[in-house]
Amino acid sequence: MYKLSATLLYPITAIVLLSLCMFGFFEYTVSKSKEAILTSYLNKAKEESYMFKTLIDEFPANKKEDALQKGIFQLSLQSNIKYIMLVSADERILYASRKQDIGKKLQEVFSAKRLQHYEKEIKNFYDFSIHLLGQSIDVTIRIDDYGYLLMLYDLHTLILQKEKEIFQELLAVFFFLLFIIILLFYLYYKHFLIKLHKIYDITSTFNRKQSRVKSLYIDDLLEQITNIAKESEIIARVIEYSNDAILITDAKKNIIFVNPAFERISQFTRDEVIGKKPEEIIKSNLMSDEYYADMWYKIHTFGNFQGKIIDRRKDGTDYVVWQKIWALKEPKTGSITNYVAMSQDITDLIAKQKEVEQLAYYDALTGLANRNYFIRILNKLIKKRKKEHFALFFADIDNFKEINETIGYHAGDIVIQKFAQYLQDTLREEDIIARLGGDEFAILAYDITKPEDALEIGCKINDFSKQELFIDKHIINVSVSNGIALYPGDGSNTKELLAAVDIALFRSKKEGKNRCTIFQARMQEEAVKKMLIRHELKTALKNNEFELYYQPKFTVDGRSIAGFEALIRWNHPKKGFIRPDHFIPVAEESEIIIDITQWIFREINTVCKELNQICNKFTIAVNISAQHFKEHNLLEHIQTYIDKQWIDGGHIELEITESAIMNNIQEAVQQLTQIQSLGIDISLDDYGTGYSSLAYLKNLPINKVKIDKSFIDEICTNRKDYIIVKSTIALAENLGMCTIVEGVEDKEQQQLVQEFGATYIQGYIFSKPLKKKDAVQLLQLTLQ
């Protein structure tokens, strides 16, 4: 708005002035024209009146009346004469151009004012008189023996016509001059305004967050430019004297500016770095390529990055900086023009932080992690989405109090140091060792899933008792007791796990010390529970207590059903409905899962038959356990228990997880390839929660990728879930695979995965798992 008003101000002013001039000229011309017309007709009236008077007076008395009538008639024919009448001395109209006035008295025809005028004329003038009355000319002529001749010239119409002609001529001149003015202003402003706008854009860019320039007046712009110059000078001083290193590059990442602080910190001079790329000068190669890739991703995605970076000085020493990087963009096009990096040297701060961390998180006597740090690591590990198996050990030096009381506390400190060193030398490098306090130690051993593996490590810890310690001329044999707990079996959280391992340690000491004990209560309880479930599962198969529910698989727009996923449910006669996650894991640990899958294969024949009567385009997906690949009989069972027509018709689909094929990938690939050759599609289930290896997507014979519900729950609020789902769908699409998104529960989630290009969706947004009858009815409804 400001640009437009300022740009048009001068031409609009010129047009207004031109309009005023033309109006004044019009008024002047009309006035002169009016004056000329009135003067002309005034003279004409005088001539005609004189001639008429003279002519009438020359006629003899016997012919004067005829001559008078003819003369009046001829005068009345003139276009500008409004009326003409012959009036006797007693003011009676003898003749008039308007017949209705003949015979009337003057007071019957004229207004009082006009009547007064004519009475005055008749009284005071003998021959004739002429008067100008506005835009009319009044003529009074004395006619001997008859009276007076009254005549009125009405010039109003003539003057209006003349005004119209003048107006049209001046309007043509006005538009011509207007065209000339616009053309001149266009030619004049063509380059001037472009340059003025550039100045405006520059000043506006500098003032985006301050008061914007509100006009294109030269004075305003000059004032603004002056202010910008002052501000720029201040900014230049700030940059010059800043203690933070500032580096600016062009869009191609070539350095164009560094401040003195950069020269001081990096030891490189300005001349040595200008025109070069930062990585050619100060990169230390101590940061991973993934870190730099993530840095540039954030810069290009969000416009900025901040984080810790290790750089290298000219003398080869490394230093740590807290760096903030911005991508500067051209306001109109959005293209990057420069990168600005501001770095604060935090090398000394990092060193001090390490000292503080050493005091806060590490034991001063042994250098091991202390209780706080160990608990922190344990909490972090347990809270991970991808649960990791590990073993937790509590080790306690037996009879440590006696050492302190008999030999001395310094001897106790030496024993603790020796035991700490022994643990570091004996255990794996990745194991975490901590001194909890006094003579108590904790060890966290990763990737321990079996009790026997944990016991092997526990025995190594106990082997410390085989060493003889020489302290102050004393030979000391020290034994160790330890307790063991396994995660996640012995505790789902830190509190439960610490309680379990503490109970196990107490049991070791109670049963004679110098031993290791695995926490048994949960393991025994779980073993009994699993045994009972396995027994009841066998009974459930015999008594037909299972029932299949069918989870519809919709196209991503929700308009049609592409198939169903068969989900087993257990209706226990006493316990009621039992969720699959309570009995399927137990079944998968034994061969019972094979029998259950055979039952599912037989059951889906019925639903396939009913669905086929409605529509021949559908699939039934069945989940396959790892036990099938161990037994090498999956292909045989499919061909035995599923009718051939459903296999040949492409109605059967298998869903497998990555973990199900990990024990022998080559064998699993071979079996899946054979199954796929029958026309059965293979879906990779719960993708993203297991190994999620890209190599599996490349090498496994799979047709579809199923994205786990855990990534969909927070897809609208969790940026990481958003990116993972979007990238997985894009990856699958590029590999020629379909994608199935499960757990879609609201419209916003559906719209997102639809935008990402997902093929199918499952979730409560459209339907929960249904009984067979309801599933068939739902398919009928969607086809109507």
Side-chain angles (χ1 to χ4, degrees):
M1 179 62 69
Y2 295 130
K3 283 187 177 184
L4 182 61
S5 62
T7 304
L8 297 179
L9 178 61
Y10 301 112
I12 289 175
T13 302
I15 292 170
V16 170
L17 291 175
L18 174 63
S19 300
L20 291 175
C21 290
M22 294 302 294
F23 179 76
F25 186 69
F26 171 75
E27 288 293 319
Y28 174 78
T29 305
V30 168
S31 176
K32 289 296 182 180
S33 176
K34 180 179 177 181
E35 183 180 343
I37 292 172
L38 291 174
T39 302
S40 173
Y41 271 83
L42 190 60
N43 294 331
K44 180 181 179 183
K46 289 179 180 180
E47 291 178 3
E48 289 179 346
S49 299
Y50 179 77
M51 290 179 64
F52 183 81
K53 170 72 174 170
T54 305
L55 184 63
I56 295 301
D57 288 344
E58 289 179 354
F59 279 94
N62 59 348
K63 295 182 179 181
K64 184 178 288 189
E65 184 177 353
D66 292 337
L68 185 60
Q69 289 180 357
K70 289 181 181 179
I72 292 173
F73 177 74
Q74 289 177 354
L75 287 173
S76 65
L77 293 178
Q78 293 186 27
S79 58
N80 294 317
I81 291 181
K82 185 176 182 180
Y83 60 82
I84 183 171
M85 56 183 65
L86 182 63
V87 182
S88 64
D90 59 356
E91 298 183 358
R92 184 174 297 279
I93 301 172
L94 303 176
Y95 177 81
S97 56
R98 296 181 299 189
K99 293 182 179 181
Q100 65 269 26
D101 295 336
I102 296 174
K104 294 180 180 180
K105 299 285 281 185
L106 285 181
Q107 58 266 30
E108 296 178 27
V109 177
F110 295 109
S111 63
K113 186 177 180 180
R114 178 68 69 173
L115 179 64
Q116 185 180 7
H117 166 73
Y118 282 124
E119 287 177 347
K120 185 178 179 182
E121 288 290 303
I122 294 170
K123 181 179 180 182
N124 296 333
F125 295 95
Y126 295 98
D127 291 327
F128 66 88
S129 66
I130 299 175
H131 296 281
L132 184 60
L133 302 175
Q135 295 183 359
S136 302
I137 298 175
D138 179 69
V139 180
T140 304
I141 304 173
R142 181 177 180 182
I143 306 296
D144 296 335
D145 301 328
Y146 288 93
Y148 296 88
L149 182 67
L150 306 181
M151 186 166 53
L152 183 69
Y153 289 85
D154 186 1
L155 304 179
H156 178 71
T157 303
L158 181 63
I159 291 172
L160 285 178
Q161 184 177 0
K162 193 64 177 179
E163 285 181 359
K164 183 177 180 180
E165 293 174 358
I166 293 171
F167 176 77
Q168 290 176 343
E169 291 175 359
L170 290 180
L171 186 63
V173 173
F174 172 78
F175 280 114
F176 174 75
L177 294 177
L178 180 63
F179 172 76
I180 296 300
I181 289 173
I182 293 174
L183 181 62
L184 289 174
F185 270 103
Y186 170 76
L187 295 175
Y188 181 75
Y189 275 89
K190 181 178 180 181
H191 298 290
F192 175 75
L193 285 179
I194 291 174
K195 294 178 181 178
L196 205 59
H197 286 163
K198 287 183 178 179
I199 297 174
Y200 172 86
D201 290 336
I202 292 171
T203 55
S204 297
T205 301
F206 276 94
N207 288 273
R208 281 198 305 271
K209 295 183 180 179
Q210 303 173 14
S211 58
R212 291 179 59 86
V213 180
K214 294 187 176 181
S215 71
L216 282 179
Y217 290 118
I218 299 297
D219 292 341
D220 293 340
L221 288 176
L222 288 176
E223 180 183 355
Q224 197 68 30
I225 291 170
T226 302
N227 293 335
I228 291 171
K230 291 179 181 178
E231 292 174 4
S232 299
E233 184 179 355
I234 294 172
I235 293 171
R237 289 180 186 176
V238 172
I239 293 174
E240 190 77 10
Y241 295 108
S242 173
N243 289 325
D244 294 339
I246 297 175
L247 178 148
I248 303 176
T249 73
D250 58 18
K252 296 181 179 180
K253 303 176 186 176
N254 296 312
I255 299 174
I256 61 174
F257 173 83
V258 293
N259 70 340
F262 176 87
E263 295 179 289
R264 184 182 69 255
I265 295 172
S266 69
Q267 300 177 353
F268 287 99
T269 65
R270 184 174 303 186
D271 294 336
E272 289 175 322
V273 300
I274 295 298
K276 297 180 181 178
K277 299 185 185 312
E279 57 265 30
E280 299 173 357
I281 305 296
I282 57 175
K283 188 176 181 180
S284 66
N285 294 320
L286 295 178
M287 311 291 290
S288 67
D289 292 338
E290 290 79 8
Y291 186 88
Y292 285 112
D294 180 66
M295 178 187 78
W296 286 111
Y297 169 79
K298 290 178 179 177
I299 292 172
H300 290 143
T301 304
F302 307 107
N304 63 82
F305 162 84
Q306 60 178 347
K308 187 167 61 178
I309 292 180
I310 303 175
D311 286 334
R312 183 159 295 171
R313 296 187 179 92
K314 185 177 180 181
D315 63 5
T317 59
D318 298 321
Y319 63 100
V320 184
V321 296
W322 182 260
Q323 192 166 89
K324 298 178 181 179
I325 303 176
W326 296 272
L328 302 184
K329 297 182 179 181
E330 205 283 323
K332 290 186 177 180
T333 63
S335 59
I336 294 176
T337 59
N338 300 92
Y339 296 99
V340 179
M342 181 178 292
S343 307
Q344 184 180 8
D345 189 354
I346 58 172
T347 307
D348 294 338
L349 180 63
I350 293 295
K352 292 179 181 177
Q353 284 181 342
K354 287 183 178 179
E355 292 178 5
V356 173
E357 286 180 2
Q358 188 69 29
L359 294 174
Y361 297 124
Y362 292 89
D363 176 55
L365 182 61
T366 62
L368 298 175
N370 61 15
R371 174 182 287 274
N372 290 336
Y373 191 36
F374 185 79
I375 298 300
R376 182 179 177 185
I377 294 172
L378 189 61
N379 284 331
K380 187 176 181 180
L381 190 62
I382 290 175
K383 289 179 180 179
K384 279 187 175 181
R385 172 183 289 177
K386 183 179 179 181
K387 301 298 183 183
E388 296 187 26
H389 291 77
F390 60 84
L392 180 62
F393 302 81
F394 270 9
D396 192 71
I397 299 175
D398 296 330
N399 305 315
F400 182 72
K401 183 178 179 182
E402 294 180 4
I403 297 174
N404 284 333
E405 292 177 348
T406 56
I407 304 176
Y409 285 99
H410 71 284
D413 289 345
I414 293 174
V415 171
I416 288 174
Q417 289 173 332
K418 293 284 187 182
F419 184 53
Q421 189 60 50
Y422 171 80
L423 292 176
Q424 293 179 78
D425 295 339
T426 304
L427 301 180
R428 300 173 301 177
E429 185 177 349
E430 64 267 24
D431 295 336
I432 297 175
I433 307 169
R435 183 190 177 204
L436 303 183
D439 63 330
E440 296 180 357
F441 290 79
I443 298 97
L444 194 155
Y446 290 103
D447 300 326
I448 302 298
T449 59
K450 299 178 181 178
E452 54 266 32
D453 294 335
L455 282 171
E456 184 178 348
I457 296 175
C459 290
K460 288 182 180 180
I461 296 172
N462 282 76
D463 284 346
F464 180 68
S465 62
K466 297 178 181 180
Q467 296 189 9
E468 291 184 342
L469 305 179
F470 296 91
I471 303 174
D472 291 344
K473 299 180 182 181
H474 295 279
I475 299 175
I476 303 175
N477 292 101
V478 179
S479 65
V480 177
S481 298
N482 72 78
I484 307 170
L486 299 177
Y487 179 80
D490 296 334
S492 59
N493 55 53
T494 302
K495 183 178 179 180
E496 292 178 359
L497 198 61
L498 291 175
V501 73
D502 200 44
I503 291 171
L505 175 61
F506 178 79
R507 179 66 60 87
S508 291
K509 286 187 172 293
K510 185 177 180 180
E511 293 182 357
K513 301 180 181 180
N514 193 25
R515 66 181 63 225
C516 57
T517 302
I518 293 181
F519 177 69
Q520 296 293 325
R522 181 176 292 276
M523 293 176 62
Q524 290 176 352
E525 181 182 339
E526 287 295 325
V528 172
K529 184 177 179 180
K530 289 179 180 178
M531 181 185 68
L532 292 174
I533 291 176
R534 283 195 293 269
H535 176 74
E536 290 180 332
L537 285 174
K538 292 178 180 178
T539 304
L541 280 171
K542 292 179 181 178
N543 297 337
N544 200 27
E545 296 174 5
F546 294 117
E547 181 180 3
L548 284 183
Y549 277 60
Y550 298 91
Q551 172 78 57
K553 180 170 60 182
F554 286 81
T555 55
V556 72
D557 57 7
R559 296 179 179 177
S560 59
I561 296 176
F564 298 86
E565 179 183 0
L567 302 172
I568 193 168
R569 298 290 185 267
W570 184 6
N571 294 314
H572 195 281
K574 295 181 179 180
K575 299 177 182 179
F577 183 84
I578 299 177
R579 292 174 52 181
D581 56 347
H582 287 174
F583 67 89
I584 290 297
V586 178
E588 288 183 331
E589 292 177 2
S590 66
E591 294 182 358
I592 298 177
I593 192 65
I594 303 295
D595 298 328
I596 292 175
T597 305
Q598 292 174 7
W599 178 86
I600 293 173
F601 285 166
R602 290 192 296 268
E603 284 295 307
I604 63 175
N605 288 316
T606 304
V607 73
C608 284
K609 183 177 180 181
E610 294 186 25
L611 293 175
N612 192 56
Q613 293 174 354
I614 302 171
C615 172
N616 61 1
K617 292 183 180 180
F618 65 89
T619 60
I620 299 294
V622 180
N623 291 281
I624 301 301
S625 169
Q627 284 290 344
H628 294 88
F629 297 98
K630 294 179 182 179
E631 298 296 329
H632 308 293
N633 54 11
L634 179 59
L635 178 63
E636 179 185 347
H637 288 172
I638 291 173
Q639 293 175 321
T640 301
Y641 298 107
I642 301 178
D643 290 349
K644 188 174 184 299
Q645 60 174 321
W646 312 131
I647 298 175
D648 294 343
H651 299 299
I652 306 301
E653 183 179 308
L654 301 184
E655 293 189 4
I656 62 169
T657 61
E658 293 172 280
S659 57
I661 59 174
M662 282 304 299
N663 290 331
N664 192 334
I665 296 178
Q666 292 182 348
E667 178 65 29
V669 169
Q670 183 178 353
Q671 291 187 57
L672 291 174
T673 302
Q674 293 175 348
I675 293 170
Q676 197 179 53
S677 66
L678 298 177
I680 296 175
D681 281 353
I682 309 296
S683 295
L684 186 60
D685 196 10
D686 297 339
Y687 184 77
T689 60
Y691 299 89
S692 303
S693 171
L694 298 180
Y696 297 150
L697 289 181
K698 174 184 176 183
N699 299 321
L700 289 177
I702 56 178
N703 308 95
K704 300 172 183 176
V705 176
K706 196 169 187 179
I707 300 174
D708 188 72
K709 180 182 184 296
S710 61
F711 296 104
I712 306 303
D713 291 339
E714 299 179 2
I715 190 174
C716 300
T717 57
N718 189 309
R719 182 177 172 276
K720 292 182 178 180
D721 287 342
Y722 178 96
I723 293 174
I724 289 171
V725 174
K726 183 177 181 180
S727 303
T728 303
I729 292 173
L731 178 63
E733 182 179 2
N734 291 331
L735 292 174
M737 301 174 186
C738 298
T739 48
I740 306 168
V741 181
E742 62 180 356
V744 178
E745 296 182 356
D746 58 51
K747 194 68 176 178
E748 190 175 3
Q749 292 174 346
Q750 181 203 0
Q751 290 175 347
L752 273 180
V753 298
Q754 186 173 4
E755 291 174 6
F756 294 166
T759 316
Y760 307 107
I761 58 174
Q762 285 180 290
Y764 280 28
I765 185 175
F766 292 125
S767 176
K768 62 182 181 180
L770 304 170
K771 290 187 176 183
K772 180 177 67 176
K773 179 181 70 174
D774 297 330
V776 172
Q777 290 178 352
L778 180 62
L779 181 62
Q780 284 179 322
L781 288 175
T782 58
L783 294 175
Q784 289 178 357

